[in-house]
Structure formats: structure tokens, C-alpha cells
Coordinates of all heavy atoms in Angstrom, one line a residue:
S475 N 150.8 156.6 106.6 CA 151.2 155.5 107.4 C 151.3 154.3 106.5 O 150.7 154.2 105.4 CB 150.3 155.2 108.5 OG 149.1 154.7 108.1
I476 N 152.2 153.3 106.8 CA 152.4 152.1 106.1 C 151.9 150.9 106.9 O 152.3 150.8 108.1 CB 153.9 151.9 105.7 CG1 154.4 153.1 104.9 CG2 154.1 150.6 105.1 CD1 155.8 153.1 104.6
N477 N 151.0 150.1 106.3 CA 150.5 149.0 107.0 C 150.9 147.7 106.2 O 150.8 147.7 105.0 CB 149.0 149.0 107.1 CG 148.5 150.2 108.0 OD1 149.2 150.5 109.0 ND2 147.5 150.8 107.6
E478 N 151.2 146.7 106.9 CA 151.5 145.4 106.3 C 150.2 144.7 106.0 O 149.3 144.6 106.9 CB 152.4 144.6 107.2 CG 152.9 143.3 106.5 CD 154.0 142.6 107.3 OE1 154.8 143.3 107.9 OE2 153.9 141.4 107.4
V479 N 150.0 144.2 104.8 CA 148.8 143.4 104.5 C 149.1 142.1 103.8 O 150.2 142.0 103.2 CB 147.8 144.2 103.5 CG1 147.4 145.5 104.2 CG2 148.5 144.5 102.2
D480 N 148.2 141.2 103.9 CA 148.4 139.9 103.2 C 147.7 140.0 101.9 O 146.5 140.1 101.8 CB 147.8 138.8 104.0 CG 147.9 137.4 103.4 OD1 148.7 137.3 102.3 OD2 147.4 136.4 103.9
A481 N 148.4 140.1 100.8 CA 147.9 140.3 99.4 C 147.3 139.0 98.8 O 146.5 139.1 97.9 CB 149.0 140.9 98.5
L482 N 147.6 137.9 99.4 CA 147.2 136.6 98.8 C 145.7 136.5 98.5 O 145.2 136.2 97.4 CB 147.7 135.4 99.6 CG 147.3 134.1 99.0 CD1 148.0 133.9 97.6 CD2 147.8 133.0 100.0
P483 N 144.8 136.9 99.5 CA 143.4 136.7 99.3 C 142.9 137.6 98.1 O 141.9 137.3 97.4 CB 142.8 137.2 100.6 CG 143.8 136.9 101.6 CD 145.1 137.2 100.9
R484 N 143.6 138.7 97.8 CA 143.2 139.6 96.8 C 143.8 139.3 95.4 O 143.3 139.8 94.4 CB 143.5 141.1 97.2 CG 142.8 141.4 98.5 CD 142.6 142.9 98.5 NE 142.1 143.4 99.8 CZ 140.8 143.3 100.2 NH1 139.9 142.8 99.4 NH2 140.4 143.7 101.4
T485 N 144.9 138.5 95.4 CA 145.6 138.3 94.1 C 145.5 136.8 93.7 O 146.0 136.5 92.6 CB 147.0 138.7 94.2 OG1 147.7 138.0 95.3 CG2 147.2 140.2 94.5
A486 N 145.0 135.9 94.6 CA 145.1 134.5 94.3 C 144.2 134.1 93.0 O 144.5 133.2 92.4 CB 144.5 133.7 95.5
W487 N 143.2 134.9 92.7 CA 142.4 134.6 91.6 C 143.2 134.5 90.3 O 142.8 133.7 89.4 CB 141.3 135.7 91.4 CG 141.9 137.1 91.1 CD1 142.2 138.0 92.0 CD2 142.2 137.6 89.8 NE1 142.8 139.1 91.4 CE2 142.8 138.9 90.1 CE3 142.2 137.1 88.5 CZ2 143.3 139.7 89.0 CZ3 142.6 137.9 87.5 CH2 143.1 139.2 87.7
K488 N 144.3 135.2 90.2 CA 145.0 135.2 88.9 C 145.7 133.8 88.7 O 146.1 133.4 87.6 CB 146.1 136.3 88.9 CG 147.2 136.2 89.9 CD 148.1 137.4 89.7 CE 149.2 137.4 90.7 NZ 150.0 136.1 90.8
D489 N 145.9 133.1 89.8 CA 146.4 131.7 89.8 C 145.3 130.7 89.9 O 145.6 129.5 90.2 CB 147.4 131.5 90.9 CG 148.6 132.5 90.8 OD1 149.1 132.7 89.6 OD2 149.1 133.0 91.8
N490 N 144.1 131.1 89.6 CA 142.9 130.2 89.7 C 142.8 129.6 91.1 O 142.6 128.4 91.3 CB 142.9 129.1 88.6 CG 141.6 128.6 88.3 OD1 140.6 129.3 88.5 ND2 141.5 127.3 87.9
R491 N 143.0 130.4 92.1 CA 142.9 129.9 93.5 C 142.0 130.8 94.3 O 142.0 132.0 94.2 CB 144.3 130.1 94.1 CG 144.5 129.5 95.4 CD 146.0 129.5 95.9 NE 146.1 128.8 97.1 CZ 147.1 129.0 97.9 NH1 148.1 129.8 97.6 NH2 147.1 128.3 99.1
L492 N 141.1 130.1 95.1 CA 140.2 130.9 96.0 C 140.8 130.9 97.4 O 141.2 129.8 97.9 CB 138.9 130.1 96.1 CG 137.9 130.3 94.9 CD1 136.7 129.5 95.1 CD2 137.5 131.8 94.7
V493 N 140.9 132.0 98.0 CA 141.5 132.2 99.3 C 140.5 133.1 100.1 O 140.3 134.3 99.7 CB 142.9 132.8 99.3 CG1 143.4 133.0 100.7 CG2 143.8 131.9 98.5
F494 N 140.0 132.5 101.2 CA 139.1 133.3 102.1 C 139.8 133.2 103.5 O 140.0 132.1 103.9 CB 137.7 132.8 102.1 CG 137.1 132.8 100.7 CD1 136.7 131.7 100.1 CD2 136.8 134.0 100.1 CE1 136.1 131.7 98.8 CE2 136.3 134.1 98.8 CZ 135.9 132.9 98.2
D495 N 140.0 134.3 104.1 CA 140.6 134.3 105.4 C 139.9 135.2 106.4 O 140.2 136.3 106.6 CB 142.1 134.7 105.3 CG 142.9 134.5 106.6 OD1 142.4 133.7 107.5 OD2 143.9 135.1 106.8
G496 N 138.7 134.7 106.8 CA 137.9 135.4 107.8 C 136.8 136.3 107.1 O 136.2 137.1 107.8
Q497 N 136.6 136.0 105.8 CA 135.5 136.7 105.2 C 134.1 136.1 105.6 O 134.0 135.0 105.8 CB 135.6 136.7 103.6 CG 136.6 137.6 103.1 CD 138.1 137.1 103.2 OE1 138.3 135.9 103.4 NE2 139.0 138.0 103.0
T498 N 133.1 137.0 105.5 CA 131.8 136.5 105.8 C 131.2 135.8 104.6 O 131.7 135.9 103.5 CB 130.8 137.7 106.1 OG1 130.7 138.5 105.0 CG2 131.3 138.5 107.3
L499 N 130.2 135.0 104.8 CA 129.6 134.3 103.7 C 129.1 135.3 102.7 O 129.1 135.0 101.5 CB 128.5 133.4 104.2 CG 127.8 132.5 103.1 CD1 128.8 131.6 102.4 CD2 126.7 131.7 103.7
E500 N 128.6 136.4 103.1 CA 128.1 137.4 102.2 C 129.2 137.9 101.3 O 129.0 138.0 100.1 CB 127.5 138.6 103.0 CG 126.9 139.6 102.1 CD 126.1 140.7 102.9 OE1 126.4 140.9 104.1 OE2 125.2 141.3 102.3
E501 N 130.4 138.1 101.8 CA 131.5 138.6 101.0 C 132.0 137.4 100.1 O 132.4 137.7 99.0 CB 132.7 139.0 101.9 CG 132.4 140.2 102.7 CD 133.4 140.5 103.8 OE1 133.9 139.5 104.5 OE2 133.8 141.6 104.0
I502 N 131.9 136.2 100.6 CA 132.4 135.1 99.8 C 131.4 134.9 98.6 O 131.9 134.6 97.5 CB 132.4 133.8 100.7 CG1 133.6 133.9 101.6 CG2 132.5 132.5 99.8 CD1 133.6 132.9 102.7
I503 N 130.1 135.1 98.8 CA 129.1 134.9 97.7 C 129.4 135.9 96.6 O 129.3 135.6 95.4 CB 127.7 135.1 98.3 CG1 127.3 133.8 99.1 CG2 126.7 135.3 97.2 CD1 126.0 133.9 99.8
E504 N 129.8 137.1 97.0 CA 130.2 138.2 96.0 C 131.3 137.7 95.1 O 131.4 138.2 94.0 CB 130.5 139.5 96.7 CG 129.3 140.2 97.4 CD 129.7 141.4 98.1 OE1 130.9 141.8 98.1 OE2 128.9 142.0 98.8
V505 N 132.2 136.9 95.6 CA 133.3 136.3 94.8 C 132.8 135.1 94.0 O 133.2 135.0 92.8 CB 134.5 135.9 95.7 CG1 135.6 135.2 94.9 CG2 135.0 137.2 96.4
L506 N 132.1 134.2 94.6 CA 131.7 133.0 94.0 C 130.7 133.2 92.8 O 130.8 132.5 91.8 CB 131.0 132.0 95.0 CG 131.9 131.5 96.2 CD1 131.1 130.6 97.1 CD2 133.2 130.9 95.6
E507 N 129.8 134.1 92.9 CA 128.8 134.3 91.8 C 129.5 134.6 90.5 O 129.2 133.9 89.5 CB 127.8 135.3 92.2 CG 126.8 134.9 93.3 CD 125.8 135.9 93.6 OE1 126.1 137.1 93.7 OE2 124.6 135.5 93.9
P508 N 130.3 135.6 90.4 CA 130.9 135.8 89.1 C 132.0 134.7 88.7 O 132.2 134.4 87.5 CB 131.6 137.2 89.2 CG 131.8 137.4 90.7 CD 130.7 136.6 91.3
W509 N 132.7 134.2 89.7 CA 133.7 133.2 89.5 C 133.1 131.9 88.8 O 133.6 131.4 87.8 CB 134.3 132.8 90.8 CG 135.5 131.8 90.7 CD1 135.4 130.5 90.3 CD2 136.8 132.0 91.0 NE1 136.7 129.9 90.4 CE2 137.6 130.8 90.8 CE3 137.5 133.1 91.5 CZ2 138.9 130.7 91.0 CZ3 138.9 133.0 91.7 CH2 139.6 131.8 91.5
Y510 N 131.9 131.5 89.2 CA 131.3 130.3 88.7 C 130.1 130.6 87.8 O 129.4 129.7 87.4 CB 130.8 129.4 89.9 CG 132.0 128.8 90.6 CD1 132.4 129.3 91.8 CD2 132.8 127.8 90.1 CE1 133.5 128.8 92.5 CE2 133.9 127.2 90.8 CZ 134.2 127.8 92.0 OH 135.3 127.3 92.7
D511 N 129.8 131.9 87.6 CA 128.6 132.3 86.8 C 127.3 131.7 87.3 O 126.6 131.0 86.6 CB 128.9 132.0 85.3 CG 127.8 132.7 84.4 OD1 127.2 133.7 84.8 OD2 127.5 132.1 83.4
V512 N 127.1 131.9 88.6 CA 125.9 131.4 89.2 C 125.2 132.5 90.1 O 125.8 133.5 90.3 CB 126.2 130.2 90.2 CG1 126.7 129.0 89.4 CG2 127.1 130.6 91.3
E513 N 124.0 132.2 90.4 CA 123.3 133.1 91.4 C 123.0 132.3 92.7 O 122.5 131.2 92.6 CB 121.9 133.6 90.8 CG 121.2 134.5 91.7 CD 119.9 135.1 91.1 OE1 119.9 135.2 89.8 OE2 119.0 135.2 91.8
I514 N 123.5 132.9 93.8 CA 123.4 132.2 95.1 C 122.3 132.8 95.9 O 122.3 134.0 96.1 CB 124.8 132.2 95.8 CG1 125.8 131.4 94.9 CG2 124.6 131.5 97.2 CD1 127.2 131.5 95.4
T515 N 121.4 132.0 96.4 CA 120.3 132.4 97.3 C 120.6 131.8 98.6 O 120.9 130.6 98.7 CB 119.0 132.0 96.7 OG1 118.8 132.5 95.4 CG2 117.9 132.5 97.6
V516 N 120.4 132.6 99.7 CA 120.6 132.1 101.1 C 119.3 132.1 101.8 O 118.7 133.2 102.0 CB 121.7 132.9 101.8 CG1 121.9 132.3 103.2 CG2 123.0 132.9 101.1
E517 N 118.8 130.9 102.2 CA 117.5 130.9 102.8 C 117.5 131.3 104.3 O 116.5 131.8 104.8 CB 116.9 129.5 102.7 CG 116.5 129.2 101.3 CD 115.8 127.8 101.1 OE1 115.8 127.0 102.1 OE2 115.3 127.5 100.0
D518 N 118.6 131.2 104.9 CA 118.8 131.5 106.3 C 119.7 132.7 106.4 O 121.0 132.6 106.3 CB 119.4 130.4 107.2 CG 119.5 130.7 108.6 OD1 119.3 131.8 109.0 OD2 120.0 129.8 109.4
A519 N 119.2 133.9 106.6 CA 120.0 135.2 106.6 C 121.1 135.2 107.6 O 122.1 135.9 107.5 CB 119.1 136.4 106.7
D520 N 120.9 134.4 108.7 CA 121.9 134.4 109.8 C 123.3 133.8 109.2 O 124.3 134.1 109.8 CB 121.5 133.6 111.0 CG 120.3 134.2 111.7 OD1 120.2 135.5 111.6 OD2 119.6 133.5 112.4
L521 N 123.2 133.0 108.2 CA 124.4 132.4 107.6 C 125.3 133.5 107.0 O 126.6 133.3 107.0 CB 124.1 131.4 106.5 CG 123.4 130.1 107.0 CD1 123.0 129.3 105.7 CD2 124.3 129.3 107.8
L522 N 124.8 134.6 106.5 CA 125.5 135.6 105.8 C 126.6 136.2 106.7 O 127.6 136.7 106.2 CB 124.6 136.7 105.3 CG 123.7 136.2 104.2 CD1 122.7 137.3 103.8 CD2 124.4 135.8 102.9
A523 N 126.4 136.3 108.0 CA 127.4 136.9 108.9 C 128.5 136.0 109.4 O 129.4 136.5 110.0 CB 126.6 137.5 110.1
K524 N 128.4 134.7 109.1 CA 129.4 133.8 109.5 C 130.7 134.0 108.8 O 130.7 134.3 107.6 CB 129.0 132.3 109.3 CG 127.9 131.9 110.3 CD 127.6 130.4 110.1 CE 126.6 130.0 111.2 NZ 126.4 128.5 111.2
D525 N 131.8 133.9 109.5 CA 133.2 134.0 108.9 C 133.7 132.6 108.5 O 133.5 131.6 109.2 CB 134.1 134.6 109.9 CG 133.8 136.1 110.3 OD1 133.1 136.7 109.5 OD2 134.1 136.5 111.4
F526 N 134.5 132.6 107.5 CA 135.1 131.4 107.0 C 136.5 131.5 106.6 O 136.9 132.6 106.2 CB 134.3 130.9 105.7 CG 132.9 130.5 106.0 CD1 131.9 131.4 106.0 CD2 132.6 129.2 106.4 CE1 130.6 131.1 106.3 CE2 131.3 128.8 106.6 CZ 130.3 129.8 106.6
K527 N 137.2 130.4 106.6 CA 138.6 130.3 106.1 C 138.6 129.2 105.1 O 138.2 128.1 105.5 CB 139.6 130.1 107.2 CG 139.8 131.3 108.1 CD 140.9 131.1 109.1 CE 141.1 132.3 110.0 NZ 142.3 132.3 110.7
L528 N 139.2 129.4 103.9 CA 139.2 128.4 102.9 C 140.3 128.8 101.9 O 140.4 129.9 101.5 CB 137.9 128.2 102.2 CG 137.8 127.3 101.1 CD1 137.8 125.9 101.5 CD2 136.5 127.6 100.3
S529 N 141.0 127.8 101.5 CA 142.0 128.0 100.4 C 142.0 126.8 99.5 O 142.3 125.7 100.0 CB 143.4 128.3 101.0 OG 144.4 128.4 100.0
R530 N 141.7 127.0 98.3 CA 141.7 125.9 97.3 C 142.2 126.3 95.9 O 141.9 127.4 95.5 CB 140.3 125.3 97.1 CG 139.7 124.6 98.3 CD 140.4 123.2 98.5 NE 140.0 122.7 99.7 CZ 140.8 122.7 100.8 NH1 141.9 123.4 100.9 NH2 140.3 122.1 101.9
D531 N 143.0 125.4 95.3 CA 143.5 125.6 94.0 C 142.5 125.0 93.0 O 142.1 123.9 93.2 CB 144.9 125.0 93.8 CG 146.0 125.6 94.6 OD1 145.9 126.9 94.8 OD2 146.9 125.0 95.0
N532 N 142.2 125.7 91.9 CA 141.3 125.3 90.9 C 140.1 124.5 91.4 O 139.9 123.4 91.0 CB 142.2 124.4 89.9 CG 141.5 124.2 88.6 OD1 140.7 125.0 88.2 ND2 141.9 123.1 87.9
P533 N 139.4 125.1 92.3 CA 138.3 124.4 93.0 C 137.0 124.2 92.1 O 136.6 125.2 91.4 CB 138.0 125.2 94.2 CG 138.3 126.6 93.7 CD 139.5 126.5 92.7
Q534 N 136.3 123.1 92.2 CA 135.0 123.0 91.7 C 134.0 123.6 92.7 O 134.2 123.6 93.9 CB 134.7 121.5 91.5 CG 135.5 120.8 90.5 CD 135.1 119.3 90.3 OE1 134.4 118.8 91.2 NE2 135.5 118.7 89.2
L535 N 132.9 124.1 92.1 CA 131.9 124.8 93.0 C 131.4 123.8 94.0 O 131.3 124.2 95.2 CB 130.8 125.3 92.1 CG 129.6 126.0 92.9 CD1 130.1 127.2 93.7 CD2 128.5 126.4 91.9
S536 N 131.1 122.6 93.7 CA 130.6 121.7 94.6 C 131.5 121.4 95.8 O 131.1 121.3 97.0 CB 130.2 120.3 94.0 OG 131.3 119.8 93.4
V537 N 132.8 121.4 95.5 CA 133.8 121.2 96.6 C 133.8 122.4 97.5 O 133.9 122.2 98.8 CB 135.2 121.0 96.0 CG1 136.3 121.0 97.1 CG2 135.2 119.7 95.2
V538 N 133.8 123.6 97.0 CA 133.8 124.8 97.8 C 132.6 124.9 98.7 O 132.6 125.1 99.9 CB 133.9 126.1 96.9 CG1 133.7 127.3 97.7 CG2 135.2 126.1 96.1
L539 N 131.4 124.6 98.1 CA 130.2 124.6 98.8 C 130.1 123.5 99.9 O 129.6 123.8 101.0 CB 129.0 124.5 97.9 CG 128.7 125.6 96.9 CD1 127.6 125.3 96.0 CD2 128.4 126.9 97.7
Q540 N 130.6 122.4 99.6 CA 130.7 121.3 100.6 C 131.5 121.7 101.8 O 131.1 121.5 102.9 CB 131.2 120.0 99.9 CG 131.2 118.8 100.9 CD 131.7 117.6 100.2 OE1 132.2 117.6 99.1 NE2 131.5 116.4 100.8
E541 N 132.7 122.2 101.5 CA 133.6 122.6 102.6 C 133.0 123.8 103.4 O 133.0 123.8 104.7 CB 135.0 122.9 102.1 CG 135.6 121.7 101.6 CD 137.0 121.9 101.1 OE1 137.6 122.9 101.5 OE2 137.6 121.0 100.5
L542 N 132.4 124.8 102.8 CA 131.8 125.9 103.5 C 130.6 125.4 104.3 O 130.4 125.8 105.4 CB 131.4 127.0 102.5 CG 132.5 127.8 101.8 CD1 131.9 128.7 100.7 CD2 133.3 128.6 102.8
G543 N 129.8 124.5 103.7 CA 128.6 124.0 104.3 C 129.0 123.2 105.6 O 128.3 123.3 106.6
F544 N 130.1 122.4 105.5 CA 130.5 121.7 106.7 C 130.9 122.6 107.8 O 130.5 122.5 108.9 CB 131.7 120.7 106.3 CG 132.2 119.9 107.4 CD1 131.5 118.8 107.9 CD2 133.4 120.3 108.1 CE1 131.9 118.1 108.9 CE2 133.8 119.5 109.1 CZ 133.1 118.4 109.6
A545 N 131.7 123.6 107.4 CA 132.2 124.6 108.4 C 131.1 125.5 109.0 O 131.1 125.8 110.2 CB 133.3 125.5 107.8
G546 N 130.1 125.8 108.1 CA 129.0 126.7 108.5 C 127.7 126.1 108.9 O 126.8 126.7 109.2
D547 N 127.7 124.7 108.9 CA 126.5 124.0 109.2 C 125.3 124.3 108.4 O 124.3 124.7 108.8 CB 126.2 124.1 110.7 CG 125.2 123.1 111.2 OD1 125.2 122.0 110.6 OD2 124.4 123.4 112.1
F548 N 125.5 124.3 107.0 CA 124.4 124.4 106.1 C 124.6 123.4 105.0 O 125.6 122.8 104.8 CB 124.3 125.9 105.6 CG 125.5 126.3 104.8 CD1 125.5 126.1 103.4 CD2 126.5 127.1 105.3 CE1 126.6 126.5 102.6 CE2 127.6 127.6 104.5 CZ 127.6 127.3 103.2
E549 N 123.5 123.3 104.2 CA 123.5 122.4 103.1 C 123.2 123.3 101.8 O 122.9 124.5 101.9 CB 122.4 121.4 103.2 CG 122.6 120.4 104.3 CD 121.6 119.3 104.4 OE1 121.2 118.8 103.3 OE2 121.2 119.0 105.5
Y550 N 123.4 122.7 100.7 CA 123.3 123.5 99.4 C 122.6 122.6 98.4 O 122.7 121.4 98.4 CB 124.6 124.0 98.9 CG 125.5 122.9 98.5 CD1 125.6 122.5 97.1 CD2 126.4 122.3 99.3 CE1 126.4 121.5 96.7 CE2 127.2 121.2 98.9 CZ 127.2 120.9 97.6 OH 128.1 119.9 97.2
R551 N 122.1 123.3 97.4 CA 121.5 122.6 96.2 C 121.9 123.4 95.0 O 121.7 124.6 95.0 CB 120.0 122.5 96.4 CG 119.3 121.7 95.3 CD 117.8 121.5 95.5 NE 117.1 122.7 95.8 CZ 116.5 123.0 97.0 NH1 116.7 122.2 98.1 NH2 115.9 124.1 97.2
I552 N 122.4 122.7 94.0 CA 122.7 123.4 92.7 C 121.7 122.9 91.7 O 121.5 121.7 91.4 CB 124.2 123.0 92.3 CG1 125.2 123.4 93.3 CG2 124.5 123.6 90.9 CD1 126.6 122.9 93.0
Q553 N 121.1 123.9 91.1 CA 120.1 123.7 90.0 C 120.5 124.6 88.8 O 120.1 125.7 88.8 CB 118.7 124.0 90.5 CG 118.2 123.1 91.6 CD 116.9 123.6 92.2 OE1 116.5 124.7 92.2 NE2 116.1 122.6 92.6
G554 N 121.2 124.0 87.9 CA 121.7 124.8 86.8 C 122.6 125.9 87.2 O 123.6 125.6 87.9
K555 N 122.2 127.1 87.0 CA 123.0 128.3 87.4 C 122.5 128.9 88.7 O 123.0 130.0 89.1 CB 123.1 129.3 86.3 CG 123.9 128.9 85.1 CD 124.0 130.0 84.1 CE 124.9 129.6 83.0 NZ 126.2 130.3 83.0
E556 N 121.6 128.2 89.4 CA 121.1 128.7 90.7 C 121.6 127.8 91.8 O 121.6 126.6 91.7 CB 119.6 128.7 90.7 CG 119.0 129.3 91.9 CD 117.5 129.3 91.9 OE1 116.9 129.0 90.9 OE2 116.9 129.7 92.9
V557 N 122.1 128.4 92.8 CA 122.6 127.7 94.0 C 121.8 128.2 95.2 O 121.6 129.4 95.4 CB 124.1 128.0 94.3 CG1 124.6 127.3 95.5 CG2 124.9 127.5 93.1
I558 N 121.3 127.2 96.0 CA 120.5 127.6 97.2 C 121.2 127.0 98.4 O 121.6 125.9 98.4 CB 119.1 127.0 97.1 CG1 118.4 127.6 95.8 CG2 118.3 127.3 98.3 CD1 117.1 126.9 95.4
L559 N 121.5 127.9 99.3 CA 122.1 127.5 100.6 C 121.0 127.5 101.7 O 120.2 128.5 101.8 CB 123.2 128.5 101.0 CG 124.3 128.8 100.0 CD1 125.3 129.8 100.6 CD2 124.9 127.6 99.5
F560 N 120.9 126.4 102.4 CA 119.8 126.3 103.4 C 120.3 125.6 104.6 O 121.3 125.0 104.7 CB 118.6 125.6 102.8 CG 118.8 124.3 102.2 CD1 118.6 123.1 103.0 CD2 119.3 124.2 100.9 CE1 118.9 121.9 102.4 CE2 119.5 122.9 100.4 CZ 119.3 121.8 101.1

């Protein structure tokens, strides 16, 4: 069978673009950690199941976290290569 898919979320990285369209925070963290070379810890496990939509060109980590935090009602702290979401 042939299915139509939106390839943008899977290919945007080559243009230095982050695109999330309904991914959970857990899935987003799997992308963000290697992208920014950080380790992300989530203090509230319920956050991991929340879905997010975000599209940014050449984004700074703090901008991505600020927008995700606003949408998901959480805060973050960056300490060197460690990021804590709470």
C-alpha cells in the first residue's frame, strides 16, 4: 500500500530546522539531546507524554525550551551541558 506522509519533520534537520508536529516531549528530548549535545532530565514524568507542535529555523536551545515550556506549562534550567525540566 502507498501512504502519503509529511517528510518535513524527518528531513528538516538538514536545513538546520527543528520541526515537531504532535511528538511527545519524550520523543522531542531524543532529538534535542544530540542536536545540542546536552543531557535532559525531566523531574515530572507526566510531562513526557505531552504532545507539542513547534517549528523553528536555526533555533537556540533556550528559545526551544522557552516555547516548549510555555506550551507545556513547565520551566527549565540549563547548567552547562545539563538541562532540567521541572
Side-chain angles (χ1 to χ4, degrees):
S475 70
I476 297 174
N477 295 322
E478 190 173 317
V479 297
D480 181 8
L482 183 61
R484 301 206 187 278
T485 61
W487 62 269
K488 68 180 180 52
D489 296 321
N490 204 26
R491 186 172 187 202
L492 284 176
V493 177
F494 303 115
D495 189 17
Q497 281 82 14
T498 64
L499 184 58
E500 185 171 23
E501 293 168 321
I502 291 171
I503 288 171
E504 291 176 6
V505 173
L506 296 181
E507 286 182 324
W509 184 293
Y510 294 103
D511 189 26
V512 294
E513 183 177 323
I514 300 174
T515 304
V516 180
E517 291 184 351
D518 180 359
D520 291 338
L521 292 174
L522 294 172
K524 289 188 175 188
D525 295 334
F526 294 88
K527 290 186 179 195
L528 173 74
S529 177
R530 289 290 170 263
D531 293 329
N532 198 21
Q534 293 182 344
L535 177 59
S536 59
V537 171
V538 172
L539 293 173
Q540 183 177 12
E541 293 184 14
L542 291 172
F544 180 75
D547 194 28
F548 66 84
E549 295 183 40
Y550 68 92
R551 182 173 55 248
I552 300 173
Q553 297 174 328
K555 290 188 174 249
E556 183 179 356
V557 177
I558 301 167
L559 308 181
F560 55 95

